[in-house]
Amino acid sequence: KAGVTQTPRYLIKTRGQQVTLSCSPISGHRSVSWYQQTPGQGLQFLFEYFSETQRNKGNFPGRFSGRQFSNSRSEMNVSTLELGDSALYLCASSYRGAFSTDTQYFGPGTRLTVL
Amino acid sequence: AQTVTQSQPEMSVQEAETVTLSCTYDTSESDYYLFWYKQPPSRQMILVIRQEAYKQQNATENRFSVNFQKAAKSFSLKISDSQLGDAAMYFCASGGGADGLTFGKGTHLIIQP
């Protein structure tokens, strides 16, 4: 099976802009979770989508949003970018997602730099 | 809520030797899983090993094994016969709750040739 893919791999944006990141899960997986990784805060949970519905959300402002399509592909959107949004954004897929004990498999990440 | 603590920011080991990475956790979940992930310089998070909390037997995967002490909320990773390719950041994580995976801050493992 093909692994989790994320596009684009690298992005450079300026403050105030908005950005959309994409994640394609492993075939058959219905859950996609997003994480932000920064040197200061480490890995933090953003949100999880399961069967096109946001099921859980971490402690992030409303500028961070997402959606999931019927084929389980997910997009994450960040509006009004701030310098502090510079990070590696990782998505992970699993069959049942949160509240289950399924292993989450990660994509290679999207490196976002905000200037 | 869950918390995961990795107290060793960096560890160094000679090639072919054994190293143990420490992790402690706290969780309010009655059913949870614990994981060790590896993140090499490519930044790809790779699953190393997982442990079901309800199992007493420690998980093993080839050269990787865990020492799971449920009462002490401890979950250490032992790497035997360390290889140069094992050099990476290692993250301990707990899962099974609503907030996805909760990760520790990571341990940077250096392999000395």
Side-chain angles (χ1 to χ4, degrees):
Chain A
K1 277 187 180 178
V4 179
T5 59
Q6 290 186 247
T7 57
R9 294 293 311 278
Y10 302 92
L11 267 178
I12 299 175
K13 293 287 187 179
T14 56
R15 279 180 297 174
Q17 287 187 309
Q18 67 101 27
V19 67
T20 299
L21 313 182
S22 180
C23 173
S24 292
I26 291 171
S27 178
H29 285 187
R30 296 184 293 170
S31 167
V32 174
S33 295
W34 289 88
Y35 296 84
Q36 181 195 65
Q37 185 176 23
T38 60
Q41 298 298 316
L43 282 145
Q44 294 182 285
F45 171 72
L46 278 156
F47 35 63
E48 185 220 6
Y49 283 86
F50 183 86
S51 293
E52 302 180 63
T53 301
Q54 186 182 88
R55 193 156 64 172
N56 306 295
K57 184 172 168 63
N59 189 25
F60 279 83
R63 299 185 297 106
F64 291 82
S65 64
R67 59 178 175 168
Q68 187 179 34
F69 302 94
S70 59
N71 62 357
S72 293
R73 188 178 71 85
S74 176
E75 289 182 345
M76 188 190 91
N77 184 274
V78 188
S79 62
T80 319
L81 284 166
E82 300 177 359
L83 295 178
D85 297 333
S86 294
L88 179 68
Y89 290 90
L90 294 163
C91 80
S93 79
S94 66
Y95 184 68
R96 295 177 298 171
F99 301 110
S100 80
T101 49
D102 292 352
T103 296
Q104 293 192 26
Y105 295 93
F106 285 81
T110 295
R111 168 73 66 186
L112 172 64
T113 301
V114 182
L115 302 176
Chain B
Q2 301 181 72
T3 59
V4 177
T5 303
Q6 293 179 250
S7 59
Q8 306 153 314
E10 187 173 279
M11 292 282 286
S12 181
V13 64
Q14 291 289 128
E15 196 176 1
E17 296 295 307
T18 295
V19 64
T20 299
L21 309 184
S22 301
C23 172
T24 58
Y25 65 93
D26 196 8
T27 179
S28 57
E29 303 294 331
S30 56
D31 185 17
Y32 59 94
Y33 275 43
L34 298 166
F35 304 86
W36 279 97
Y37 282 90
K38 166 185 175 181
Q39 188 177 44
S42 68
R43 310 300 270 171
Q44 173 87 49
M45 292 286 279
I46 302 165
L47 176 71
V48 175
I49 199 165
R50 57 176 275 159
Q51 172 78 43
E52 293 87 335
Y54 65 87
K55 286 188 178 178
Q56 292 187 331
Q57 187 174 7
N58 289 323
T60 62
E61 284 289 343
N62 301 313
R63 298 182 296 107
F64 299 87
S65 62
V66 299
N67 183 5
F68 175 47
Q69 301 290 328
K70 191 171 184 177
K73 295 184 177 178
S74 170
F75 182 60
S76 61
L77 174 69
K78 185 171 84 170
I79 306 173
S80 304
D81 185 26
S82 297
Q83 301 175 1
L84 293 177
D86 296 333
M89 283 292 290
Y90 284 80
F91 292 94
C92 178
S94 67
D99 298 334
L101 291 172
T102 300
F103 288 88
K105 293 293 188 184
T107 297
H108 182 210
L109 179 62
I110 298 167
I111 311 295
Q112 305 278 6

